[in-house]
Amino acid sequence: TVDTAENGKIAVDMVKASEPGYYDAVLMDIQMPVMDGYEATRTIRNLDNKDLAGIPIVAMTANAFREDVEAAKEAGMQGHVAKPVDVGVLMRTLTEVLLDAERKR
């Protein structure tokens, strides 16, 4: 099941209103209106509920330079997938991120 958010603020609100474990991961677009993906990720990482704050987040962006990957990591994202999305890359990235999150629990 996939839920979508029209902008970063809505994405934050959806994560914040959820129960821990409801979402397995967030695919975070970087360029969104109202609140961009970097700010949305930093806001999620600062939630009081540490289970929600620790949700795996993967950047989804057309910006695929090394600096963009680093900016995603600095914002608190665990992965980066460039657009146009290669489904194989997306699945490998999600698998790695989710396995890493499971190991840390």
Side-chain angles (χ1 to χ4, degrees):
T1 301
V2 175
D3 290 336
T4 61
E6 294 176 21
N7 62 59
K9 171 129 179 37
I10 293 171
V12 169
D13 291 343
M14 290 170 69
V15 170
K16 191 174 183 179
S18 71
E19 293 293 322
Y22 180 78
Y23 293 114
D24 294 313
V26 174
L27 301 177
M28 186 70 77
D29 194 357
I30 298 301
Q31 297 179 6
M32 293 186 288
V34 181
M35 180 185 290
D36 70 30
Y38 298 127
E39 184 179 355
T41 297
R42 286 189 291 271
T43 302
I44 289 169
R45 294 294 179 237
N46 287 313
L47 291 175
D48 291 334
N49 183 321
K50 296 307 170 195
D51 290 328
L52 294 176
I55 190 168
I57 301 175
V58 175
M60 304 275 296
T61 179
N63 303 331
F65 294 108
R66 186 173 65 215
E67 308 87 59
D68 302 308
V69 175
E70 289 302 316
K73 287 181 182 177
E74 288 174 14
M77 298 179 196
Q78 289 87 0
H80 183 280
V81 176
K83 293 179 186 176
V85 174
D86 176 316
V87 175
V89 170
L90 174 61
M91 296 309 291
R92 280 191 301 277
T93 302
L94 276 173
T95 298
E96 291 170 9
V97 167
L98 292 171
L99 286 173
D100 188 53
E102 187 63 31
R103 281 190 289 269
K104 290 179 179 177
R105 286 189 196 152

Coordinates of all heavy atoms in Angstrom, one line a residue:
T1 N 0.8 -1.2 0.0 CA 0.0 0.0 0.0 C 0.9 1.2 0.0 O 1.9 1.3 0.7 CB -0.9 0.0 1.3 OG1 -1.7 -1.2 1.3 CG2 -1.8 1.2 1.3
V2 N 0.5 2.2 -0.8 CA 1.3 3.4 -0.9 C 0.4 4.6 -0.6 O -0.7 4.7 -1.1 CB 1.9 3.6 -2.3 CG1 2.6 4.9 -2.5 CG2 2.8 2.5 -2.6
D3 N 0.8 5.5 0.3 CA 0.1 6.8 0.5 C 1.0 7.9 -0.2 O 2.2 7.7 -0.2 CB 0.0 7.1 2.0 CG -0.9 6.2 2.7 OD1 -1.8 5.6 2.1 OD2 -0.8 6.0 3.9
T4 N 0.3 8.9 -0.6 CA 1.0 10.0 -1.3 C 0.7 11.3 -0.5 O -0.3 11.5 0.1 CB 0.7 10.2 -2.8 OG1 -0.7 10.4 -2.8 CG2 1.0 8.9 -3.5
A5 N 1.7 12.2 -0.6 CA 1.5 13.6 -0.1 C 1.8 14.6 -1.1 O 2.8 14.4 -1.9 CB 2.5 13.7 1.1
E6 N 1.0 15.7 -1.2 CA 1.2 16.7 -2.2 C 2.4 17.6 -1.9 O 2.9 18.3 -2.9 CB -0.1 17.5 -2.3 CG -1.3 16.7 -2.8 CD -2.5 17.6 -2.8 OE1 -2.5 18.8 -2.8 OE2 -3.6 17.0 -2.8
N7 N 2.9 17.6 -0.7 CA 4.0 18.5 -0.4 C 4.7 17.9 0.9 O 4.2 17.0 1.5 CB 3.6 20.0 -0.2 CG 2.6 20.2 0.9 OD1 2.9 19.9 2.0 ND2 1.4 20.7 0.6
G8 N 5.8 18.5 1.2 CA 6.6 18.0 2.3 C 5.9 18.2 3.7 O 6.0 17.3 4.5
K9 N 5.2 19.3 3.8 CA 4.4 19.5 5.1 C 3.4 18.4 5.3 O 3.3 17.8 6.4 CB 3.8 20.8 5.1 CG 2.8 21.0 6.3 CD 3.1 22.2 7.1 CE 2.2 22.5 8.3 NZ 1.8 21.3 9.1
I10 N 2.7 18.0 4.3 CA 1.7 16.9 4.4 C 2.4 15.6 4.7 O 1.9 14.8 5.5 CB 0.8 16.8 3.1 CG1 0.0 18.1 3.0 CG2 0.0 15.6 3.1 CD1 -0.8 18.2 1.7
A11 N 3.6 15.4 4.1 CA 4.3 14.2 4.3 C 4.7 14.1 5.8 O 4.5 13.0 6.5 CB 5.6 14.1 3.5
V12 N 5.2 15.2 6.4 CA 5.5 15.2 7.8 C 4.3 15.0 8.6 O 4.4 14.2 9.6 CB 6.2 16.6 8.2 CG1 6.3 16.7 9.7 CG2 7.5 16.8 7.5
D13 N 3.2 15.6 8.3 CA 2.0 15.4 9.1 C 1.5 14.0 9.1 O 1.0 13.4 10.1 CB 0.9 16.4 8.6 CG 1.2 17.8 8.9 OD1 2.1 18.1 9.7 OD2 0.5 18.7 8.2
M14 N 1.6 13.3 7.9 CA 1.2 11.9 7.8 C 2.1 11.0 8.6 O 1.5 10.1 9.3 CB 1.3 11.5 6.3 CG 0.2 12.2 5.4 SD 0.4 11.9 3.7 CE 0.0 10.1 3.6
V15 N 3.4 11.2 8.6 CA 4.3 10.4 9.4 C 4.0 10.7 10.9 O 3.8 9.8 11.7 CB 5.7 10.7 9.1 CG1 6.7 10.0 10.1 CG2 6.1 10.2 7.7
K16 N 3.8 11.9 11.3 CA 3.6 12.3 12.7 C 2.3 11.7 13.2 O 2.2 11.4 14.4 CB 3.6 13.9 12.8 CG 3.6 14.4 14.1 CD 3.7 15.9 14.1 CE 3.8 16.5 15.5 NZ 4.0 17.9 15.5
A17 N 1.3 11.7 12.4 CA 0.0 11.2 12.8 C -0.1 9.6 12.8 O -1.1 9.1 13.3 CB -1.1 11.7 11.9
S18 N 0.9 9.0 12.2 CA 0.9 7.5 12.1 C 1.3 6.8 13.4 O 2.0 7.5 14.3 CB 1.7 7.1 10.9 OG 3.1 7.2 11.2
E19 N 1.0 5.6 13.5 CA 1.6 4.7 14.6 C 2.9 4.2 14.1 O 3.1 3.9 12.9 CB 0.6 3.6 14.8 CG -0.7 4.0 15.4 CD -0.6 4.6 16.8 OE1 0.3 4.1 17.6 OE2 -1.3 5.6 17.1
P20 N 3.9 4.0 15.0 CA 5.1 3.4 14.6 C 4.9 2.0 13.9 O 4.1 1.3 14.4 CB 5.9 3.2 15.9 CG 5.3 4.3 16.8 CD 3.8 4.4 16.4
G21 N 5.6 1.8 12.8 CA 5.4 0.6 12.0 C 4.3 0.7 11.0 O 4.3 -0.2 10.1
Y22 N 3.5 1.7 11.0 CA 2.5 1.8 9.9 C 3.1 2.0 8.6 O 2.8 1.3 7.6 CB 1.5 3.0 10.2 CG 0.4 3.1 9.1 CD1 -0.7 2.3 9.1 CD2 0.6 4.1 8.2 CE1 -1.6 2.4 8.2 CE2 -0.4 4.2 7.2 CZ -1.5 3.4 7.2 OH -2.5 3.5 6.2
Y23 N 4.1 2.9 8.5 CA 4.9 3.1 7.3 C 6.2 2.3 7.4 O 6.9 2.4 8.5 CB 5.2 4.5 7.0 CG 3.9 5.4 6.7 CD1 3.5 6.3 7.6 CD2 3.2 5.1 5.5 CE1 2.4 7.1 7.3 CE2 2.1 5.9 5.2 CZ 1.7 6.9 6.1 OH 0.6 7.6 5.8
D24 N 6.6 1.6 6.4 CA 7.9 0.9 6.4 C 9.0 1.9 6.0 O 10.2 1.8 6.5 CB 7.9 -0.2 5.4 CG 7.0 -1.3 5.9 OD1 7.0 -1.7 7.1 OD2 6.2 -1.8 5.1
A25 N 8.7 2.8 5.1 CA 9.7 3.8 4.6 C 9.0 5.0 4.0 O 7.8 4.9 3.7 CB 10.6 3.1 3.6
V26 N 9.8 6.0 3.7 CA 9.3 7.2 3.0 C 10.1 7.4 1.8 O 11.4 7.4 1.9 CB 9.3 8.4 3.9 CG1 9.0 9.7 3.1 CG2 8.5 8.3 5.2
L27 N 9.5 7.5 0.6 CA 10.2 7.9 -0.6 C 10.0 9.4 -0.7 O 8.9 9.8 -1.0 CB 9.6 7.2 -1.8 CG 9.7 5.6 -1.8 CD1 9.0 5.0 -3.0 CD2 11.1 5.2 -1.6
M28 N 11.0 10.2 -0.4 CA 10.9 11.6 -0.3 C 11.4 12.3 -1.5 O 12.6 12.3 -1.8 CB 11.7 12.0 0.9 CG 11.6 13.5 1.3 SD 10.0 13.9 2.0 CE 10.2 13.3 3.7
D29 N 10.5 13.0 -2.2 CA 10.9 13.9 -3.3 C 11.6 15.0 -2.7 O 11.3 15.5 -1.6 CB 9.6 14.3 -4.1 CG 10.0 14.9 -5.4 OD1 11.2 15.1 -5.8 OD2 9.0 15.3 -6.2
I30 N 12.6 15.5 -3.4 CA 13.4 16.7 -2.9 C 12.7 18.0 -3.2 O 12.6 18.9 -2.4 CB 14.8 16.7 -3.4 CG1 15.5 15.4 -2.9 CG2 15.6 17.9 -3.0 CD1 15.6 15.2 -1.5
Q31 N 12.2 18.1 -4.4 CA 11.7 19.4 -4.9 C 10.1 19.4 -4.8 O 9.5 18.9 -5.7 CB 12.1 19.7 -6.3 CG 13.6 19.9 -6.4 CD 14.0 20.2 -7.8 OE1 13.2 20.3 -8.7 NE2 15.3 20.2 -8.0
M32 N 9.6 19.8 -3.6 CA 8.2 19.9 -3.4 C 7.8 21.3 -2.9 O 8.6 22.0 -2.3 CB 7.8 18.9 -2.3 CG 8.0 17.4 -2.6 SD 7.4 16.3 -1.4 CE 8.6 16.6 -0.1
P33 N 6.6 21.6 -3.2 CA 6.1 22.9 -2.7 C 5.9 22.9 -1.1 O 5.9 21.8 -0.5 CB 4.7 23.1 -3.4 CG 4.3 21.7 -3.7 CD 5.5 20.9 -3.9
V34 N 5.8 24.1 -0.6 CA 5.5 24.3 0.9 C 6.7 23.9 1.7 O 7.2 24.8 2.5 CB 4.2 23.5 1.4 CG1 4.0 23.8 2.8 CG2 3.0 23.9 0.5
M35 N 7.2 22.7 1.6 CA 8.4 22.3 2.4 C 9.1 21.3 1.5 O 8.5 20.2 1.1 CB 7.9 21.6 3.7 CG 9.0 21.1 4.6 SD 8.4 20.2 6.1 CE 7.7 21.5 7.0
D36 N 10.4 21.5 1.3 CA 11.1 20.6 0.4 C 11.5 19.3 1.1 O 11.3 19.2 2.4 CB 12.4 21.3 -0.2 CG 13.5 21.6 0.7 OD1 13.7 20.9 1.8 OD2 14.2 22.6 0.5
G37 N 12.0 18.4 0.4 CA 12.3 17.1 1.0 C 13.4 17.1 2.1 O 13.3 16.3 3.0
Y38 N 14.4 18.0 1.9 CA 15.4 18.1 3.0 C 14.8 18.6 4.3 O 15.0 18.0 5.3 CB 16.5 19.1 2.5 CG 17.3 18.6 1.3 CD1 17.4 19.5 0.2 CD2 17.9 17.4 1.2 CE1 18.1 19.2 -0.9 CE2 18.6 17.0 0.1 CZ 18.7 17.9 -1.0 OH 19.4 17.5 -2.1
E39 N 14.0 19.7 4.2 CA 13.4 20.2 5.4 C 12.4 19.2 6.0 O 12.3 19.0 7.2 CB 12.7 21.5 5.1 CG 12.1 22.2 6.3 CD 11.4 23.5 6.1 OE1 11.5 24.0 4.9 OE2 10.8 24.1 7.0
A40 N 11.6 18.5 5.2 CA 10.7 17.5 5.7 C 11.4 16.4 6.4 O 11.0 16.0 7.5 CB 9.8 17.0 4.5
T41 N 12.5 16.0 5.8 CA 13.3 14.9 6.5 C 13.8 15.4 7.8 O 13.7 14.6 8.8 CB 14.4 14.4 5.5 OG1 13.9 13.9 4.4 CG2 15.3 13.4 6.2
R42 N 14.4 16.6 7.8 CA 15.0 17.1 9.1 C 13.8 17.2 10.2 O 14.0 16.9 11.3 CB 15.6 18.4 8.9 CG 17.0 18.3 8.2 CD 17.8 19.6 8.2 NE 17.2 20.6 7.3 CZ 17.4 20.7 6.0 NH1 18.3 20.0 5.5 NH2 16.8 21.7 5.3
T43 N 12.6 17.6 9.7 CA 11.5 17.7 10.6 C 11.1 16.4 11.2 O 10.9 16.2 12.4 CB 10.3 18.4 9.9 OG1 10.8 19.7 9.5 CG2 9.2 18.6 10.9
I44 N 11.0 15.4 10.3 CA 10.7 14.0 10.8 C 11.8 13.5 11.7 O 11.4 12.9 12.8 CB 10.6 13.0 9.5 CG1 9.3 13.4 8.8 CG2 10.6 11.6 10.0 CD1 9.2 12.7 7.4
R45 N 13.0 13.7 11.4 CA 14.1 13.3 12.3 C 14.1 13.9 13.7 O 14.6 13.4 14.7 CB 15.5 13.5 11.7 CG 15.7 12.7 10.4 CD 15.8 11.3 10.7 NE 16.0 10.5 9.5 CZ 15.2 9.5 9.1 NH1 14.1 9.2 9.8 NH2 15.5 8.8 8.0
N46 N 13.4 15.1 13.8 CA 13.3 15.8 15.1 C 12.0 15.5 15.8 O 11.7 16.2 16.8 CB 13.5 17.3 14.9 CG 14.9 17.6 14.6 OD1 15.8 17.1 15.3 ND2 15.2 18.4 13.6
L47 N 11.2 14.6 15.3 CA 9.9 14.3 16.0 C 10.2 13.7 17.4 O 11.2 13.1 17.7 CB 9.1 13.2 15.2 CG 8.5 13.7 13.9 CD1 7.9 12.5 13.2 CD2 7.5 14.8 14.1
D48 N 9.3 14.0 18.4 CA 9.4 13.5 19.7 C 9.4 12.0 19.8 O 10.1 11.4 20.6 CB 8.4 14.2 20.6 CG 8.6 15.6 20.9 OD1 9.7 16.1 20.8 OD2 7.6 16.3 21.1
N49 N 8.5 11.4 19.0 CA 8.4 10.0 19.0 C 9.6 9.4 18.2 O 9.6 9.5 17.0 CB 7.1 9.5 18.3 CG 6.9 8.1 18.4 OD1 7.8 7.3 18.2 ND2 5.6 7.6 18.6
K50 N 10.6 8.8 18.9 CA 11.8 8.4 18.2 C 11.6 7.2 17.3 O 12.3 7.1 16.3 CB 12.8 8.0 19.3 CG 13.3 9.2 20.1 CD 13.7 10.4 19.2 CE 13.9 11.7 20.0 NZ 14.0 12.8 19.1
D51 N 10.5 6.4 17.5 CA 10.2 5.3 16.5 C 9.8 5.9 15.2 O 10.2 5.5 14.1 CB 9.1 4.4 17.1 CG 9.6 3.6 18.2 OD1 10.8 3.2 18.3 OD2 8.8 3.3 19.1
L52 N 9.0 7.0 15.2 CA 8.6 7.7 14.0 C 9.8 8.5 13.4 O 9.9 8.5 12.2 CB 7.4 8.6 14.2 CG 6.1 8.0 14.7 CD1 5.0 9.0 15.0 CD2 5.6 7.0 13.6
A53 N 10.5 9.1 14.3 CA 11.7 9.9 13.8 C 12.7 9.0 13.1 O 13.5 9.5 12.2 CB 12.3 10.6 15.0
G54 N 12.8 7.7 13.4 CA 13.8 6.9 12.8 C 13.3 6.1 11.5 O 14.1 5.3 11.0
I55 N 12.2 6.5 11.0 CA 11.7 5.8 9.8 C 12.7 5.9 8.7 O 13.3 7.0 8.5 CB 10.3 6.3 9.4 CG1 9.7 5.5 8.3 CG2 10.4 7.8 8.9 CD1 8.3 5.8 8.0
P56 N 13.0 4.8 7.9 CA 13.9 5.0 6.8 C 13.3 5.9 5.7 O 12.1 5.9 5.4 CB 13.9 3.5 6.2 CG 13.5 2.7 7.4 CD 12.5 3.5 8.1
I57 N 14.2 6.8 5.2 CA 13.8 7.8 4.2 C 14.7 7.7 3.0 O 15.9 7.7 3.2 CB 13.7 9.2 4.8 CG1 12.7 9.3 6.0 CG2 13.4 10.2 3.7 CD1 12.7 10.7 6.7
V58 N 14.2 7.6 1.8 CA 15.0 7.5 0.6 C 14.7 8.7 -0.2 O 13.5 9.0 -0.5 CB 14.7 6.2 -0.2 CG1 15.4 6.2 -1.5 CG2 15.0 5.0 0.7
A59 N 15.7 9.5 -0.7 CA 15.5 10.6 -1.6 C 15.2 10.1 -3.0 O 15.7 9.2 -3.4 CB 16.8 11.4 -1.6
M60 N 14.2 10.8 -3.6 CA 13.8 10.6 -5.0 C 14.0 11.9 -5.7 O 13.2 12.8 -5.4 CB 12.4 10.1 -5.0 CG 12.0 8.9 -4.2 SD 12.4 7.4 -5.0 CE 11.3 7.4 -6.4
T61 N 15.0 12.0 -6.6 CA 15.2 13.3 -7.1 C 15.9 13.2 -8.5 O 16.6 12.2 -8.8 CB 16.1 14.2 -6.2 OG1 16.4 15.4 -6.8 CG2 17.4 13.5 -5.8
A62 N 15.7 14.2 -9.3 CA 16.4 14.3 -10.6 C 17.9 14.8 -10.4 O 18.7 14.7 -11.2 CB 15.7 15.3 -11.5
N63 N 18.1 15.3 -9.2 CA 19.5 15.8 -8.8 C 20.3 14.6 -8.4 O 20.2 14.1 -7.3 CB 19.4 16.8 -7.7 CG 18.5 18.0 -8.1 OD1 18.4 18.3 -9.2 ND2 17.9 18.6 -7.1
A64 N 21.2 14.2 -9.3 CA 22.0 12.9 -9.0 C 23.5 13.1 -8.9 O 24.2 12.2 -9.0 CB 21.7 11.9 -10.2
F65 N 23.9 14.3 -8.7 CA 25.3 14.6 -8.5 C 25.8 14.1 -7.1 O 24.9 14.0 -6.2 CB 25.7 16.0 -8.7 CG 25.5 16.5 -10.1 CD1 24.4 17.4 -10.4 CD2 26.3 16.1 -11.1 CE1 24.2 17.8 -11.7 CE2 26.2 16.5 -12.4 CZ 25.1 17.4 -12.7
R66 N 27.0 13.9 -6.9 CA 27.6 13.5 -5.6 C 27.1 14.4 -4.5 O 26.8 14.0 -3.4 CB 29.1 13.3 -5.6 CG 29.6 12.7 -4.3 CD 31.1 12.4 -4.4 NE 31.9 13.6 -4.5 CZ 33.0 13.7 -5.2 NH1 33.5 12.7 -5.9 NH2 33.6 14.9 -5.3
E67 N 27.1 15.7 -4.8 CA 26.7 16.7 -3.8 C 25.3 16.5 -3.4 O 24.9 16.8 -2.2 CB 26.9 18.2 -4.3 CG 28.2 18.5 -4.9 CD 28.3 18.1 -6.4 OE1 27.6 18.6 -7.2 OE2 29.2 17.3 -6.7
D68 N 24.4 16.1 -4.3 CA 23.0 15.9 -4.0 C 22.9 14.6 -3.1 O 22.0 14.7 -2.2 CB 22.2 15.7 -5.3 CG 22.3 16.9 -6.2 OD1 22.1 18.0 -5.8 OD2 22.7 16.7 -7.4
V69 N 23.6 13.6 -3.3 CA 23.6 12.4 -2.5 C 24.1 12.8 -1.1 O 23.5 12.4 -0.1 CB 24.5 11.3 -3.1 CG1 24.6 10.1 -2.2 CG2 23.9 10.9 -4.5
E70 N 25.1 13.6 -1.0 CA 25.6 14.0 0.3 C 24.6 14.9 1.0 O 24.4 14.8 2.2 CB 27.0 14.7 0.2 CG 28.1 13.8 -0.2 CD 28.3 12.7 0.8 OE1 28.3 13.0 2.0 OE2 28.5 11.6 0.3
A71 N 23.9 15.8 0.3 CA 22.9 16.6 0.9 C 21.8 15.8 1.5 O 21.3 16.1 2.6 CB 22.4 17.7 -0.1
A72 N 21.4 14.7 0.8 CA 20.4 13.9 1.3 C 20.8 13.2 2.6 O 20.0 13.1 3.5 CB 20.0 12.8 0.2
K73 N 22.0 12.7 2.6 CA 22.5 12.0 3.8 C 22.6 13.0 5.0 O 22.2 12.7 6.1 CB 23.9 11.4 3.5 CG 23.9 10.2 2.7 CD 25.3 9.6 2.5 CE 25.2 8.4 1.6 NZ 26.5 7.9 1.3
E74 N 23.1 14.2 4.7 CA 23.2 15.3 5.7 C 21.8 15.6 6.3 O 21.7 15.9 7.5 CB 23.9 16.5 5.2 CG 25.4 16.3 5.0 CD 26.0 17.5 4.3 OE1 25.4 18.6 4.2 OE2 27.2 17.3 3.8
A75 N 20.8 15.5 5.5 CA 19.4 15.8 5.9 C 18.8 14.7 6.8 O 17.8 14.9 7.4 CB 18.5 16.1 4.7
G76 N 19.5 13.5 6.7 CA 19.0 12.4 7.5 C 18.4 11.2 6.6 O 17.8 10.3 7.2
M77 N 18.6 11.3 5.3 CA 18.1 10.2 4.5 C 19.1 9.1 4.4 O 20.3 9.3 4.5 CB 17.8 10.8 3.1 CG 16.7 11.8 3.1 SD 16.4 12.5 1.4 CE 15.6 14.0 1.8
Q78 N 18.6 7.8 4.3 CA 19.4 6.7 4.3 C 19.7 6.2 2.8 O 20.6 5.3 2.7 CB 18.8 5.5 5.0 CG 18.8 5.7 6.5 CD 17.6 6.4 7.0 OE1 16.7 6.8 6.2 NE2 17.5 6.6 8.3
G79 N 19.0 6.7 1.9 CA 19.3 6.3 0.5 C 18.9 7.4 -0.5 O 18.4 8.4 -0.1
H80 N 19.3 7.2 -1.7 CA 19.1 8.2 -2.8 C 18.9 7.4 -4.1 O 19.6 6.6 -4.5 CB 20.4 9.0 -2.9 CG 20.3 10.1 -3.9 ND1 20.4 9.9 -5.3 CD2 20.1 11.5 -3.7 CE1 20.3 11.1 -5.9 NE2 20.1 12.0 -5.0
V81 N 17.8 7.8 -4.8 CA 17.4 7.2 -6.0 C 17.2 8.3 -7.0 O 16.4 9.2 -6.8 CB 16.1 6.3 -5.9 CG1 15.7 5.8 -7.3 CG2 16.4 5.2 -5.0
A82 N 17.9 8.3 -8.1 CA 17.8 9.3 -9.2 C 16.6 9.1 -10.1 O 16.2 7.9 -10.3 CB 19.1 9.4 -10.0
K83 N 16.0 10.2 -10.5 CA 14.9 10.1 -11.5 C 15.6 10.3 -12.9 O 16.5 11.1 -13.0 CB 13.9 11.2 -11.3 CG 13.1 11.1 -10.0 CD 12.2 12.2 -9.9 CE 11.4 12.3 -8.6 NZ 10.6 13.5 -8.5
P84 N 15.1 9.7 -13.9 CA 13.9 8.8 -13.9 C 14.3 7.6 -13.2 O 15.4 7.1 -13.2 CB 13.7 8.5 -15.4 CG 14.9 8.9 -16.1 CD 15.6 9.9 -15.3
V85 N 13.3 7.1 -12.4 CA 13.5 5.9 -11.5 C 13.7 4.6 -12.3 O 12.9 4.3 -13.2 CB 12.3 5.8 -10.5 CG1 12.5 4.6 -9.7 CG2 12.3 7.0 -9.7
D86 N 14.8 4.0 -12.0 CA 15.0 2.6 -12.5 C 14.5 1.7 -11.4 O 15.0 1.7 -10.2 CB 16.5 2.4 -12.7 CG 16.9 1.0 -13.1 OD1 16.4 0.0 -12.5 OD2 17.8 0.8 -13.9
V87 N 13.5 0.9 -11.7 CA 12.8 0.1 -10.7 C 13.7 -0.9 -10.0 O 13.7 -1.1 -8.8 CB 11.6 -0.7 -11.3 CG1 10.9 -1.6 -10.3 CG2 10.6 0.3 -11.8
G88 N 14.7 -1.4 -10.7 CA 15.7 -2.3 -10.1 C 16.5 -1.6 -9.1 O 16.8 -2.1 -8.0
V89 N 17.0 -0.4 -9.4 CA 17.7 0.4 -8.4 C 16.9 0.8 -7.2 O 17.3 0.7 -6.1 CB 18.3 1.7 -9.1 CG1 18.9 2.7 -8.1 CG2 19.3 1.4 -10.2
L90 N 15.6 1.2 -7.5 CA 14.7 1.5 -6.4 C 14.5 0.3 -5.4 O 14.6 0.4 -4.2 CB 13.4 1.9 -6.9 CG 12.3 2.2 -5.8 CD1 12.7 3.2 -4.9 CD2 10.9 2.5 -6.5
M91 N 14.3 -0.9 -6.0 CA 14.1 -2.1 -5.2 C 15.4 -2.5 -4.4 O 15.3 -2.8 -3.2 CB 13.6 -3.3 -6.0 CG 12.3 -3.0 -6.7 SD 11.0 -2.5 -5.5 CE 10.8 -4.0 -4.6
R92 N 16.5 -2.4 -5.0 CA 17.8 -2.7 -4.3 C 18.0 -1.7 -3.2 O 18.4 -2.0 -2.1 CB 19.0 -2.6 -5.3 CG 19.1 -3.9 -6.1 CD 20.4 -4.0 -6.8 NE 20.6 -2.8 -7.8 CZ 20.2 -2.8 -9.0 NH1 19.4 -3.8 -9.5 NH2 20.4 -1.8 -9.8
T93 N 17.8 -0.4 -3.5 CA 17.9 0.7 -2.4 C 17.0 0.4 -1.3 O 17.4 0.5 -0.1 CB 17.8 2.1 -3.1 OG1 18.7 2.2 -4.1 CG2 18.0 3.1 -2.0
L94 N 15.7 0.2 -1.6 CA 14.8 -0.1 -0.5 C 15.1 -1.3 0.3 O 15.1 -1.3 1.6 CB 13.4 -0.2 -1.1 CG 12.6 1.0 -1.3 CD1 11.3 0.7 -2.0 CD2 12.3 1.8 0.0
T95 N 15.6 -2.3 -0.3 CA 16.0 -3.6 0.4 C 17.1 -3.3 1.3 O 17.1 -3.7 2.5 CB 16.4 -4.7 -0.6 OG1 15.2 -5.0 -1.4 CG2 16.8 -5.9 0.1
E96 N 18.1 -2.6 0.8 CA 19.3 -2.2 1.6 C 18.9 -1.4 2.8 O 19.3 -1.6 4.0 CB 20.4 -1.5 0.8 CG 21.0 -2.4 -0.2 CD 21.9 -1.6 -1.2 OE1 22.1 -0.3 -1.0 OE2 22.4 -2.1 -2.2
V97 N 18.1 -0.4 2.6 CA 17.7 0.6 3.6 C 16.8 -0.2 4.7 O 17.0 0.0 5.9 CB 17.0 1.8 3.0 CG1 16.2 2.6 4.1 CG2 17.9 2.7 2.3
L98 N 15.9 -1.0 4.2 CA 15.0 -1.7 5.2 C 15.8 -2.8 6.0 O 15.6 -2.9 7.2 CB 13.8 -2.3 4.4 CG 12.8 -1.3 3.9 CD1 11.8 -2.0 3.0 CD2 12.2 -0.5 5.0
L99 N 16.7 -3.5 5.3 CA 17.5 -4.4 6.0 C 18.4 -3.8 7.1 O 18.6 -4.2 8.2 CB 18.4 -5.3 5.1 CG 17.6 -6.3 4.3 CD1 18.5 -6.9 3.2 CD2 17.0 -7.4 5.2
D100 N 19.0 -2.6 6.7 CA 19.8 -1.9 7.7 C 19.0 -1.4 8.8 O 19.4 -1.5 10.0 CB 20.5 -0.7 6.9 CG 21.5 0.0 7.8 OD1 22.4 -0.7 8.4 OD2 21.4 1.2 8.0
A101 N 17.8 -0.9 8.6 CA 16.9 -0.5 9.7 C 16.5 -1.6 10.6 O 16.5 -1.5 11.8 CB 15.6 0.2 9.1
E102 N 16.3 -2.8 10.0 CA 15.9 -4.0 10.8 C 17.1 -4.4 11.7 O 16.9 -4.8 12.9 CB 15.5 -5.1 9.9 CG 15.0 -6.3 10.6 CD 13.7 -6.1 11.4 OE1 12.9 -5.2 10.9 OE2 13.5 -6.7 12.4
R103 N 18.3 -4.3 11.2 CA 19.5 -4.7 12.0 C 19.7 -3.8 13.1 O 20.2 -4.2 14.2 CB 20.8 -4.7 11.1 CG 20.9 -5.9 10.2 CD 22.3 -5.9 9.6 NE 22.5 -4.9 8.5 CZ 22.2 -5.1 7.2 NH1 21.8 -6.3 6.8 NH2 22.4 -4.2 6.4
K104 N 19.3 -2.5 13.0 CA 19.5 -1.5 14.0 C 18.5 -1.6 15.1 O 18.7 -1.0 16.2 CB 19.6 -0.1 13.4 CG 20.8 0.1 12.6 CD 20.8 1.5 12.0 CE 22.0 1.7 11.2 NZ 22.0 3.0 10.5
R105 N 17.4 -2.3 14.9 CA 16.3 -2.4 15.9 C 16.7 -3.4 17.0 O 17.3 -4.2 17.2 CB 15.0 -2.9 15.3 CG 14.4 -1.8 14.5 CD 13.0 -2.2 14.1 NE 12.6 -1.3 13.0 CZ 11.8 -1.6 12.1 NH1 11.2 -2.8 12.0 NH2 11.5 -0.7 11.2

